[in-house]
Amino acid sequence: MKIFYAVLTGAFLLVLVACNKREDDFFYTGEALTVKLIGYNGSSEELEIKVDTFKFKRTVSANETINQSDAYLFTDNQRTAKLTVTEKGTGKLVLERELEKSEKNVTVNLFYTNDGIVPYNPPPVNPNTNIVGVFITKNQQTITTADIAVTLSGNVITFLAQNVPPNQWFFFETDYIPTVPATERILFRRAGTTLGYYQNSTGRNIFSNFPLFPVDGTKGALRSYIITGSTGIINIAATRVF
Protein backbone atom coordinates (compact mmCIF):
# COMPACT_ATOMS: atom_id res chain seq x y z
CA MET A 1 0.00 0.00 0.00
CA LYS A 2 2.84 2.39 0.88
CA ILE A 3 4.61 1.56 -2.39
CA PHE A 4 1.41 2.24 -4.37
CA TYR A 5 0.93 5.59 -2.55
CA ALA A 6 4.52 6.63 -3.30
CA VAL A 7 4.13 5.77 -6.98
CA LEU A 8 0.81 7.64 -7.17
CA THR A 9 2.31 10.69 -5.45
CA GLY A 10 5.29 10.70 -7.82
CA ALA A 11 3.01 10.49 -10.84
CA PHE A 12 0.93 13.40 -9.54
CA LEU A 13 4.04 15.54 -9.05
CA LEU A 14 5.20 14.82 -12.60
CA VAL A 15 1.81 15.90 -13.95
CA LEU A 16 1.90 19.05 -11.79
CA VAL A 17 5.37 19.97 -13.03
CA ALA A 18 4.26 19.43 -16.62
CA CYS A 19 1.19 21.65 -16.08
CA ASN A 20 3.30 24.35 -14.49
CA LYS A 21 5.71 24.21 -17.41
CA ARG A 22 2.84 24.67 -19.86
CA GLU A 23 1.60 27.64 -17.81
CA ASP A 24 5.08 29.19 -17.87
CA ASP A 25 5.24 28.66 -21.62
CA PHE A 26 1.88 30.42 -21.97
CA PHE A 27 2.74 33.39 -19.81
CA TYR A 28 6.07 34.03 -21.49
CA THR A 29 4.99 33.41 -25.06
CA GLY A 30 3.65 36.30 -27.11
CA GLU A 31 3.84 40.06 -26.60
CA ALA A 32 2.47 42.20 -23.77
CA LEU A 33 0.50 45.40 -24.29
CA THR A 34 0.28 47.88 -21.41
CA VAL A 35 -3.13 49.53 -21.23
CA LYS A 36 -3.70 52.61 -19.04
CA LEU A 37 -7.08 54.20 -18.40
CA ILE A 38 -7.17 57.66 -16.78
CA GLY A 39 -9.97 60.10 -16.09
CA TYR A 40 -12.97 60.24 -13.79
CA ASN A 41 -16.11 58.21 -13.18
CA GLY A 42 -18.64 60.90 -12.33
CA SER A 43 -21.59 58.56 -12.70
CA SER A 44 -23.51 56.68 -10.02
CA GLU A 45 -22.44 53.31 -11.49
CA GLU A 46 -19.43 51.08 -10.81
CA LEU A 47 -17.33 50.52 -13.93
CA GLU A 48 -15.62 47.31 -15.04
CA ILE A 49 -12.62 47.34 -17.42
CA LYS A 50 -11.75 44.40 -19.65
CA VAL A 51 -9.48 43.57 -22.57
CA ASP A 52 -11.25 40.73 -24.37
CA THR A 53 -12.11 38.42 -21.45
CA PHE A 54 -9.27 39.66 -19.22
CA LYS A 55 -10.55 41.84 -16.34
CA PHE A 56 -8.52 44.64 -14.79
CA LYS A 57 -7.56 44.03 -11.17
CA ARG A 58 -10.25 46.29 -9.74
CA THR A 59 -13.41 48.11 -10.74
CA VAL A 60 -13.91 51.88 -10.60
CA SER A 61 -16.38 53.09 -8.00
CA ALA A 62 -18.88 55.88 -8.59
CA ASN A 63 -17.43 59.40 -8.29
CA GLU A 64 -13.86 58.11 -8.31
CA THR A 65 -10.75 59.15 -10.19
CA ILE A 66 -9.69 56.61 -12.83
CA ASN A 67 -5.98 55.80 -12.88
CA GLN A 68 -5.51 52.14 -13.71
CA SER A 69 -3.09 50.18 -15.84
CA ASP A 70 -2.64 46.52 -16.58
CA ALA A 71 -0.81 44.32 -19.07
CA TYR A 72 -2.55 42.18 -21.66
CA LEU A 73 -0.65 39.30 -23.27
CA PHE A 74 -1.23 38.69 -26.97
CA THR A 75 -0.77 35.15 -28.21
CA ASP A 76 1.57 34.57 -31.16
CA ASN A 77 -1.15 34.61 -33.82
CA GLN A 78 -3.28 37.36 -32.24
CA ARG A 79 -3.02 40.86 -33.67
CA THR A 80 -5.89 42.78 -32.01
CA ALA A 81 -7.86 42.83 -28.77
CA LYS A 82 -10.94 44.75 -27.66
CA LEU A 83 -10.93 47.14 -24.70
CA THR A 84 -14.37 47.57 -23.12
CA VAL A 85 -15.61 49.61 -20.18
CA THR A 86 -19.08 48.70 -18.91
CA GLU A 87 -21.36 49.55 -16.04
CA LYS A 88 -21.01 46.57 -13.74
CA GLY A 89 -24.55 46.73 -12.40
CA THR A 90 -26.40 47.26 -15.67
CA GLY A 91 -24.02 45.81 -18.25
CA LYS A 92 -24.30 49.02 -20.29
CA LEU A 93 -21.37 49.54 -22.66
CA VAL A 94 -19.57 52.79 -21.85
CA LEU A 95 -16.51 52.61 -24.09
CA GLU A 96 -15.14 50.23 -26.71
CA ARG A 97 -11.82 50.40 -28.51
CA GLU A 98 -9.80 48.06 -30.71
CA LEU A 99 -6.22 47.62 -29.53
CA GLU A 100 -3.34 46.66 -31.82
CA LYS A 101 -0.47 44.45 -30.68
CA SER A 102 1.97 46.86 -32.34
CA GLU A 103 0.91 49.75 -30.06
CA LYS A 104 2.91 48.35 -27.08
CA ASN A 105 1.57 51.06 -24.73
CA VAL A 106 -1.91 52.58 -24.87
CA THR A 107 -3.38 55.39 -22.75
CA VAL A 108 -7.14 56.00 -22.92
CA ASN A 109 -8.86 59.05 -21.43
CA LEU A 110 -12.36 58.63 -20.02
CA PHE A 111 -14.60 61.09 -18.19
CA TYR A 112 -17.99 59.46 -17.67
CA THR A 113 -21.16 60.85 -16.07
CA ASN A 114 -24.79 59.74 -15.86
CA ASP A 115 -25.31 61.67 -19.09
CA GLY A 116 -22.60 59.72 -20.90
CA ILE A 117 -18.99 60.40 -21.91
CA VAL A 118 -18.01 64.05 -21.66
CA PRO A 119 -16.12 65.24 -24.76
CA TYR A 120 -12.56 66.30 -23.99
CA ASN A 121 -10.93 68.35 -26.75
CA PRO A 122 -8.08 70.43 -25.29
CA PRO A 123 -6.26 73.00 -27.39
CA PRO A 124 -2.68 72.32 -28.50
CA VAL A 125 -0.02 72.79 -25.84
CA ASN A 126 1.47 76.28 -25.94
CA PRO A 127 5.20 76.31 -25.10
CA ASN A 128 4.99 80.01 -24.14
CA THR A 129 2.34 79.66 -21.43
CA ASN A 130 0.33 77.12 -19.44
CA ILE A 131 -3.16 75.86 -20.26
CA VAL A 132 -5.66 74.94 -17.56
CA GLY A 133 -8.79 72.94 -18.25
CA VAL A 134 -11.61 73.05 -15.70
CA PHE A 135 -14.86 71.12 -15.52
CA ILE A 136 -16.83 72.96 -12.86
CA THR A 137 -19.62 70.88 -11.39
CA LYS A 138 -22.78 72.94 -11.01
CA ASN A 139 -23.70 73.74 -7.44
CA GLN A 140 -27.14 73.34 -5.93
CA GLN A 141 -28.08 76.94 -6.50
CA THR A 142 -29.30 78.57 -9.70
CA ILE A 143 -25.96 79.74 -11.04
CA THR A 144 -24.87 79.64 -14.65
CA THR A 145 -21.22 80.70 -14.76
CA ALA A 146 -18.21 81.27 -12.52
CA ASP A 147 -15.28 83.66 -12.26
CA ILE A 148 -11.85 82.36 -11.21
CA ALA A 149 -9.81 85.03 -9.45
CA VAL A 150 -6.49 85.40 -7.67
CA THR A 151 -7.01 87.20 -4.36
CA LEU A 152 -4.83 88.68 -1.63
CA SER A 153 -6.34 89.62 1.72
CA GLY A 154 -9.80 89.32 0.19
CA ASN A 155 -9.04 91.66 -2.73
CA VAL A 156 -8.94 90.48 -6.35
CA ILE A 157 -5.49 90.84 -7.92
CA THR A 158 -6.46 89.42 -11.29
CA PHE A 159 -9.02 87.18 -12.94
CA LEU A 160 -7.69 83.95 -14.42
CA ALA A 161 -10.97 83.28 -16.24
CA GLN A 162 -14.47 84.76 -16.25
CA ASN A 163 -17.93 83.48 -17.11
CA VAL A 164 -16.81 79.87 -17.02
CA PRO A 165 -19.78 77.59 -17.81
CA PRO A 166 -20.48 74.59 -15.54
CA ASN A 167 -20.69 70.94 -16.59
CA GLN A 168 -18.43 71.25 -19.62
CA TRP A 169 -14.71 71.58 -20.25
CA PHE A 170 -13.37 75.12 -20.33
CA PHE A 171 -9.74 75.93 -21.15
CA PHE A 172 -7.77 79.08 -20.42
CA GLU A 173 -4.14 80.16 -20.70
CA THR A 174 -2.16 81.56 -17.80
CA ASP A 175 1.43 82.49 -17.03
CA TYR A 176 0.58 83.92 -13.61
CA ILE A 177 3.24 83.61 -10.91
CA PRO A 178 2.21 84.62 -7.37
CA THR A 179 4.20 87.45 -5.84
CA VAL A 180 3.28 86.41 -2.28
CA PRO A 181 2.54 82.68 -2.65
CA ALA A 182 2.05 82.16 1.08
CA THR A 183 -0.98 84.48 1.19
CA GLU A 184 -2.37 84.62 -2.35
CA ARG A 185 -5.39 82.42 -3.06
CA ILE A 186 -7.47 81.12 -5.99
CA LEU A 187 -11.14 81.94 -5.49
CA PHE A 188 -14.22 80.69 -7.36
CA ARG A 189 -17.02 83.27 -7.46
CA ARG A 190 -20.47 83.53 -8.92
CA ALA A 191 -19.81 85.40 -12.15
CA GLY A 192 -20.06 89.16 -11.82
CA THR A 193 -20.47 89.08 -8.01
CA THR A 194 -18.36 88.92 -4.87
CA LEU A 195 -20.18 85.80 -3.63
CA GLY A 196 -18.62 82.36 -3.48
CA TYR A 197 -19.58 79.96 -6.25
CA TYR A 198 -20.51 76.93 -4.16
CA GLN A 199 -21.67 78.75 -1.04
CA ASN A 200 -21.57 82.24 0.38
CA SER A 201 -18.68 81.45 2.74
CA THR A 202 -15.46 82.49 0.97
CA GLY A 203 -13.50 79.76 2.74
CA ARG A 204 -15.57 77.06 1.02
CA ASN A 205 -14.70 78.38 -2.44
CA ILE A 206 -10.99 79.03 -2.16
CA PHE A 207 -7.72 77.19 -2.71
CA SER A 208 -5.01 78.16 -0.26
CA ASN A 209 -2.33 77.18 -2.80
CA PHE A 210 -1.98 77.02 -6.58
CA PRO A 211 -2.80 73.43 -7.59
CA LEU A 212 -3.98 74.26 -11.11
CA PHE A 213 -0.75 75.29 -12.82
CA PRO A 214 3.02 75.63 -12.24
CA VAL A 215 4.07 78.74 -10.33
CA ASP A 216 7.84 78.33 -10.66
CA GLY A 217 8.08 79.87 -14.13
CA THR A 218 7.67 76.55 -15.94
CA LYS A 219 5.72 76.85 -19.18
CA GLY A 220 4.21 74.49 -21.72
CA ALA A 221 2.01 72.49 -19.32
CA LEU A 222 -1.56 71.33 -19.93
CA ARG A 223 -3.49 70.29 -16.83
CA SER A 224 -7.18 69.50 -16.57
CA TYR A 225 -9.22 69.31 -13.37
CA ILE A 226 -12.71 68.56 -12.17
CA ILE A 227 -13.74 71.23 -9.67
CA THR A 228 -16.22 70.08 -7.05
CA GLY A 229 -17.75 71.74 -4.03
CA SER A 230 -20.62 71.40 -1.61
CA THR A 231 -23.20 73.53 0.11
CA GLY A 232 -22.36 71.54 3.25
CA ILE A 233 -19.12 71.50 5.20
CA ILE A 234 -16.92 70.14 2.40
CA ASN A 235 -14.42 72.54 0.89
CA ILE A 236 -13.85 73.06 -2.80
CA ALA A 237 -11.64 70.40 -4.41
CA ALA A 238 -9.66 70.04 -7.64
CA THR A 239 -9.19 66.52 -9.00
CA ARG A 240 -6.71 66.24 -11.84
CA VAL A 241 -7.93 63.85 -14.50
CA PHE A 242 -5.85 64.62 -17.63
Side-chain angles (χ1 to χ4, degrees):
M1 184 69 178
K2 291 182 178 179
I3 294 174
F4 173 76
Y5 178 78
V7 171
L8 182 62
T9 302
F12 174 75
L13 290 174
L14 286 173
V15 171
L16 184 61
V17 169
C19 289
N20 285 341
K21 186 178 187 305
R22 283 197 295 271
E23 288 180 0
D24 290 342
D25 289 344
F26 172 77
F27 282 117
Y28 291 100
T29 299
E31 297 180 38
L33 171 69
T34 300
V35 183
K36 184 173 185 179
L37 194 71
I38 59 174
Y40 191 78
N41 177 20
S43 75
S44 55
E45 297 290 334
E46 186 178 7
L47 301 182
E48 186 174 71
I49 310 165
K50 294 170 63 176
V51 178
D52 283 350
T53 59
F54 171 76
K55 293 182 181 179
F56 272 45
K57 294 183 179 69
R58 57 180 295 271
T59 57
V60 182
S61 300
N63 299 308
E64 180 180 70
T65 300
I66 304 172
N67 188 0
Q68 291 198 36
S69 62
D70 220 321
Y72 176 77
L73 188 69
F74 283 89
T75 59
D76 287 335
N77 297 323
Q78 186 183 7
R79 293 290 173 264
T80 63
K82 186 175 292 184
L83 169 70
T84 58
V85 180
T86 57
E87 293 182 355
K88 185 176 181 179
T90 68
K92 178 182 176 182
L93 181 65
V94 172
L95 180 145
E96 184 178 75
R97 174 174 166 176
E98 188 102 327
L99 304 175
E100 301 282 344
K101 180 192 287 190
S102 58
E103 293 181 275
K104 304 297 183 184
N105 293 282
V106 175
T107 298
V108 179
N109 295 332
L110 175 64
F111 179 22
Y112 184 61
T113 71
N114 289 331
D115 297 323
I117 294 178
V118 179
Y120 177 73
N121 300 301
V125 174
N126 186 340
N128 300 314
T129 187
N130 293 304
I131 299 175
V132 179
V134 289
F135 184 98
I136 300 178
T137 57
K138 190 173 182 180
N139 59 12
Q140 298 177 18
Q141 305 172 57
T142 307
I143 298 173
T144 56
T145 59
D147 292 339
I148 307 175
V150 177
T151 67
L152 177 63
S153 302
N155 299 313
V156 172
I157 299 175
T158 185
F159 285 100
L160 298 174
Q162 293 181 275
N163 294 309
V164 180
N167 295 332
Q168 60 182 278
W169 283 109
F170 180 89
F171 299 91
F172 62 90
E173 293 186 348
T174 180
D175 54 6
Y176 185 81
I177 299 177
T179 304
V180 191
T183 55
E184 292 181 31
R185 307 285 185 263
I186 295 180
L187 173 66
F188 284 70
R189 284 181 167 180
R190 305 180 197 183
T193 76
T194 59
L195 301 175
Y197 180 74
Y198 286 102
Q199 31 182 323
N200 292 342
S201 171
T202 299
R204 301 296 179 193
N205 303 275
I206 203 165
F207 290 113
S208 58
N209 51 27
F210 286 77
L212 303 182
F213 51 87
V215 294
D216 59 355
T218 302
K219 296 181 180 180
L222 167 62
R223 300 179 178 182
S224 298
Y225 298 84
I226 296 173
I227 309 298
T228 54
S230 170
T231 55
I233 61 173
I234 301 174
N235 288 330
I236 191 172
T239 302
R240 185 175 181 182
V241 289
F242 304 125

